[in-house]
Amino acid sequence: SAVISQKPSRDICQRGTSLTIQCQVDSQVTMMFWYRQQPGQSLTLIATANQGSEATYESGFVIDKFPISRPNLTFSTLTVSNMSPEDSSIYLCSARDSGNEQFFGPGTRLTVL
Amino acid sequence: DAKTTQPPSMDCAEGRAANLPCNHSTISGNEYVYWYRQIHSQGPQYIIHGLKNNETNEMASLIITEDRKSSTLILPHATLRDTAVYYCIVRAWGGSQGNLIFGKGTKLSVKP
């Protein structure tokens, strides 16, 4: 199974600033995803990170707020822009391999003050 | 929206089998049943999946009813480390229809 790492593991940020989260997979994968998990809640899919093209966002999420990059088959970034306290969540990277199995990173715990 | 219904919580005694039910009455013919779990403060972990046959691996067994409208995840000998939220997800094979959409899951508490 693919091993996914994320940086940073946690951060505390001021409102109005932006944070970029990095996701690295130890092998080439077909698809990469970003999820959000608000306190006490389940996971919500933010977007599918597409290599070489714009990400595909789920309803309720927009590129201006959550710009995503995927420059190659093993790396992606998610930026949380113009943060507010409501953005305090765990952000999880996920990847699907050629066998169609999907794995998750450890998450980035974000607190916005 | 999630296509599954699970009880919000369950308790299990350590060493006993944990049987976690899931209802997916609207499942389509091309959709698989997947189970993941999330131990506190960690990313979700894949457990098992199946289409219509029962499946077993080193972690668990998956029993799917003949009409495929419900399933049960069985942890044969639960330990304290199995305390987690368990998610049952129906998912097509591949593409955007294969995206994992999480419901609220079942919080399993394994007690000594």
Side-chain angles (χ1 to χ4, degrees):
Chain A
S1 60
V3 176
I4 301 174
S5 58
Q6 291 184 227
K7 285 192 223 181
S9 58
R10 59 176 63 229
D11 207 342
I12 300 173
C13 301
Q14 298 297 319
R15 70 173 67 209
T17 63
S18 297
L19 175 71
T20 295
I21 303 168
Q22 298 180 2
C23 175
Q24 179 73 56
V25 190
D26 70 344
S27 58
Q28 293 186 349
V29 291
T30 57
M31 300 180 77
M32 295 182 74
F33 307 89
W34 287 98
Y35 286 79
R36 179 176 74 180
Q37 188 169 27
Q38 295 177 300
Q41 303 297 312
S42 183
L43 284 78
T44 301
L45 179 62
I46 297 173
T48 302
N50 300 310
Q51 188 202 359
S53 65
E54 194 172 286
T56 303
Y57 289 85
E58 298 297 307
S59 176
F61 297 96
V62 295
I63 187 172
D64 290 346
K65 177 67 176 177
F66 298 103
I68 289 170
S69 78
R70 190 184 172 191
N72 57 49
L73 293 175
T74 64
F75 185 79
S76 178
T77 67
L78 168 74
T79 299
V80 186
S81 303
N82 188 25
M83 289 184 285
S84 67
E86 291 71 34
D87 295 319
S88 296
S89 294
I90 299 173
Y91 292 86
L92 295 119
C93 176
S94 180
R96 190 184 300 173
D97 64 16
S98 57
N100 209 42
E101 297 315 319
Q102 192 159 334
F103 308 95
F104 288 81
T108 296
R109 185 179 295 271
L110 171 62
T111 301
V112 184
L113 303 177
Chain B
D1 292 341
K3 299 181 180 181
T4 62
T5 303
Q6 299 177 251
S9 64
M10 292 182 64
D11 289 342
C12 179
E14 187 177 21
R16 303 298 293 269
N19 297 280
L20 291 90
C22 179
N23 182 287
H24 32 79
S25 57
T26 61
I27 191 170
S28 300
N30 67 336
E31 289 180 320
Y32 290 71
V33 180
Y34 275 74
W35 285 83
Y36 282 76
R37 72 179 182 184
Q38 187 175 27
I39 296 171
H40 184 62
S41 297
Q42 297 181 23
Q45 175 190 22
Y46 166 81
I47 300 172
I48 199 168
H49 75 277
L51 182 62
K52 50 185 174 181
N53 297 323
N54 297 338
E55 302 288 344
T56 295
N57 62 20
E58 64 278 5
M59 289 182 67
S61 295
L62 174 60
I63 309 298
I64 303 174
T65 58
E66 192 168 342
D67 63 7
R68 302 212 318 127
K69 293 185 176 182
S70 65
S71 61
T72 301
L73 178 75
I74 302 172
L75 308 178
H77 305 286
T79 71
L80 299 179
R81 286 177 291 184
D82 292 321
T83 292
V85 179
Y86 287 76
Y87 297 99
C88 171
I89 303 169
V90 296
R91 172 196 177 201
W93 189 260
S96 62
Q97 291 183 329
N99 289 348
L100 290 175
I101 305 300
F102 286 78
K104 297 183 178 180
T106 295
K107 184 173 183 180
L108 176 68
S109 298
V110 181
K111 300 180 183 299

mmCIF file of all heavy atoms in Angstrom, chain A residues 18 32 36 63 71:
data_model
loop_
_atom_site.group_PDB
_atom_site.id
_atom_site.type_symbol
_atom_site.label_atom_id
_atom_site.label_comp_id
_atom_site.label_asym_id
_atom_site.label_seq_id
_atom_site.Cartn_x
_atom_site.Cartn_y
_atom_site.Cartn_z
ATOM 1 N N SER A 18 -2.686 32.679 4.970
ATOM 2 C CA SER A 18 -2.870 31.461 4.171
ATOM 3 C C SER A 18 -1.851 30.417 4.598
ATOM 4 O O SER A 18 -0.750 30.754 5.042
ATOM 5 C CB SER A 18 -2.697 31.767 2.678
ATOM 6 O OG SER A 18 -3.688 32.679 2.221
ATOM 7 N N MET A 32 -5.333 11.756 -6.639
ATOM 8 C CA MET A 32 -5.089 12.301 -5.307
ATOM 9 C C MET A 32 -6.271 13.176 -4.902
ATOM 10 O O MET A 32 -6.905 13.801 -5.771
ATOM 11 C CB MET A 32 -3.781 13.100 -5.271
ATOM 12 C CG MET A 32 -2.548 12.241 -5.522
ATOM 13 S SD MET A 32 -1.005 13.165 -5.419
ATOM 14 C CE MET A 32 -0.874 13.407 -3.642
ATOM 15 N N ARG A 36 -11.503 17.360 4.281
ATOM 16 C CA ARG A 36 -11.513 18.162 5.502
ATOM 17 C C ARG A 36 -12.322 17.414 6.567
ATOM 18 O O ARG A 36 -13.358 16.812 6.264
ATOM 19 C CB ARG A 36 -12.165 19.530 5.229
ATOM 20 C CG ARG A 36 -12.231 20.431 6.447
ATOM 21 C CD ARG A 36 -12.790 21.799 6.076
ATOM 22 N NE ARG A 36 -14.231 21.771 5.826
ATOM 23 C CZ ARG A 36 -14.943 22.822 5.482
ATOM 24 N NH1 ARG A 36 -14.346 23.998 5.319
ATOM 25 N NH2 ARG A 36 -16.240 22.716 5.276
ATOM 26 N N ILE A 63 -12.094 27.232 -5.812
ATOM 27 C CA ILE A 63 -10.659 27.317 -6.055
ATOM 28 C C ILE A 63 -10.022 28.513 -5.372
ATOM 29 O O ILE A 63 -8.881 28.425 -4.912
ATOM 30 C CB ILE A 63 -10.383 27.324 -7.578
ATOM 31 C CG1 ILE A 63 -8.884 27.227 -7.866
ATOM 32 C CG2 ILE A 63 -10.985 28.557 -8.229
ATOM 33 C CD1 ILE A 63 -8.552 27.028 -9.320
ATOM 34 N N PRO A 71 1.683 18.819 -9.407
ATOM 35 C CA PRO A 71 2.650 18.908 -10.499
ATOM 36 C C PRO A 71 3.098 17.566 -11.058
ATOM 37 O O PRO A 71 3.587 17.503 -12.188
ATOM 38 C CB PRO A 71 3.831 19.643 -9.864
ATOM 39 C CG PRO A 71 3.711 19.350 -8.404
ATOM 40 C CD PRO A 71 2.240 19.244 -8.127
#
